[in-house]
């Protein structure tokens, strides 16, 4: 089960609406959903919320260290409360997924994402869950930094907000450790289309 939900981003008003802060948007939405307000806790270098769901303690964390040092915050809280890496879920912006799509993934490389890179280093493992929030790719590698530090179009922002809302519906499954069910809820953006009725050939 997930005991620690983390949202990645950069602190400060100038970054608030940028693509790189999609993880912050997710954790803010989760904080509202769970009615667990985030408050500054310098011990963990970020904003923290603690709540109890189904008799179990759940943590929300928004590192305020800047993206490249996110692991400092995540590792500080996880180690103090003895939360194992596989009980951590990190929400972050994902270039390789289009806006409006969101994916759940366990383990694997950081794919150049500096927030994940530092979490890998600080936890000493890549065995934690990621909630990959699609922000799209500029198409040219040299433009990636400018892209993530800019605001998405209104159309893309709405699409991202919709997929964040959809992912919130998977939280009970994430808390229960039902990761397959959570994956289905998160990855299914639209209900499956009904199959057309089979045509029957008229009998001679």
């Amino acid at each position: 089960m997930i005991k620690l939900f983390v949202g990645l981003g950069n602190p400060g008003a100038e970054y608030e609406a940028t693509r790189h802060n999609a993880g912050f948007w997710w954790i803010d939405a989760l904080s509202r959903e769970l009615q667990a307000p985030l408050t500054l806790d310098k011990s963990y270098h970020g904003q923290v919320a603690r709540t109890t769901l189904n008799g179990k303690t759940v943590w929300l964390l928004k590192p305020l260290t800047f993206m490249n040092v996110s692991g400092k915050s995540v590792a500080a809280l996880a180690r103090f409360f003895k939360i194992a890496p596989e009980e951590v879920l990190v929400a972050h912006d994902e270039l390789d997924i289009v806006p409006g799509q969101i994916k759940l993934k366990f383990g694997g490389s950081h794919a150049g994402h500096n927030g994940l890179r530092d979490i890998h280093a600080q936890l000493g493992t890549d065995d934690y869950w990621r909630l990959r929030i699609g922000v799209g790719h500029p198409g040219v590698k040299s433009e990636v930094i400018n892209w993530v530090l800019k605001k998405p179009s209104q159309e893309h922002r709405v699409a991202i907000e919709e997929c964040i809302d959809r992912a919130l519906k998977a939280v009970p499954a994430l808390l229960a450790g039902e990761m397959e069910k959570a994956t289905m809820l998160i990855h299914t953006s639209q209900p499956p289309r009904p199959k057309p009725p089979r045509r029957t050939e008229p009998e001679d």
Side-chain angles (χ1 to χ4, degrees):
M1 63 164 279
I2 302 300
K3 294 181 181 176
L4 170 58
F5 292 92
V6 181
L8 299 188
N10 285 309
E14 68 269 39
Y15 297 110
E16 201 172 318
T18 63
R19 294 179 177 93
H20 222 15
N21 275 32
F24 273 10
W25 305 346
W26 149 258
I27 209 76
D28 286 338
L30 182 60
S31 170
R32 290 190 296 270
E33 178 81 6
L34 299 181
Q35 297 182 342
L38 292 150
T39 56
L40 183 64
D41 191 325
K42 291 182 180 176
S43 303
Y44 309 114
H45 317 287
Q47 291 183 341
V48 176
R50 178 178 182 165
T51 188
T52 304
L53 296 164
N54 302 326
K56 294 173 182 172
T57 301
V58 178
W59 294 91
L60 277 60
L61 175 63
K62 195 172 171 181
L64 298 182
T65 53
F66 283 95
M67 182 68 82
N68 295 6
V69 206
S70 299
K72 179 181 179 182
S73 175
V74 177
L77 195 150
R79 287 196 183 118
F80 189 83
F81 292 104
K82 297 181 173 57
I83 298 169
E86 60 269 20
E87 297 170 328
V88 176
L89 182 143
V90 178
H92 65 90
D93 57 307
E94 176 57 66
L95 290 162
D96 294 333
I97 299 174
V98 297
Q101 293 294 319
I102 190 165
K103 304 285 183 185
L104 185 65
K105 177 187 177 184
F106 182 76
S109 87
H110 52 67
H113 192 290
N114 287 331
L116 297 183
R117 189 197 306 271
D118 195 56
I119 292 170
H120 274 42
Q122 295 286 342
L123 292 181
T125 181
D126 62 9
D127 289 342
Y128 58 92
W129 291 89
R130 300 92 190 267
L131 188 64
R132 305 162 72 211
I133 303 166
V135 296
H137 196 286
V140 184
K141 192 176 180 181
S142 60
E143 281 299 310
V144 162
I145 292 173
N146 283 333
W147 178 260
V148 296
L149 293 178
K150 283 183 179 171
K151 296 178 182 180
S153 67
Q154 182 61 24
E155 181 187 356
H156 283 180
R157 176 70 194 240
V158 168
I160 293 166
E161 294 284 1
E162 284 175 354
C163 76
I164 284 173
D165 286 344
R166 187 169 75 247
L168 290 177
K169 293 178 174 61
V171 168
L174 293 168
L175 293 171
E178 297 170 346
M179 307 313 278
E180 206 169 302
K181 180 180 179 182
T183 300
M184 284 186 63
L185 289 167
I186 289 167
H187 291 202
T188 306
S189 57
Q190 297 172 340
R193 292 174 64 178
K195 291 180 180 174
R198 287 179 64 182
R199 292 180 61 182
T200 53
E201 296 296 326
E203 294 179 6
D204 292 332

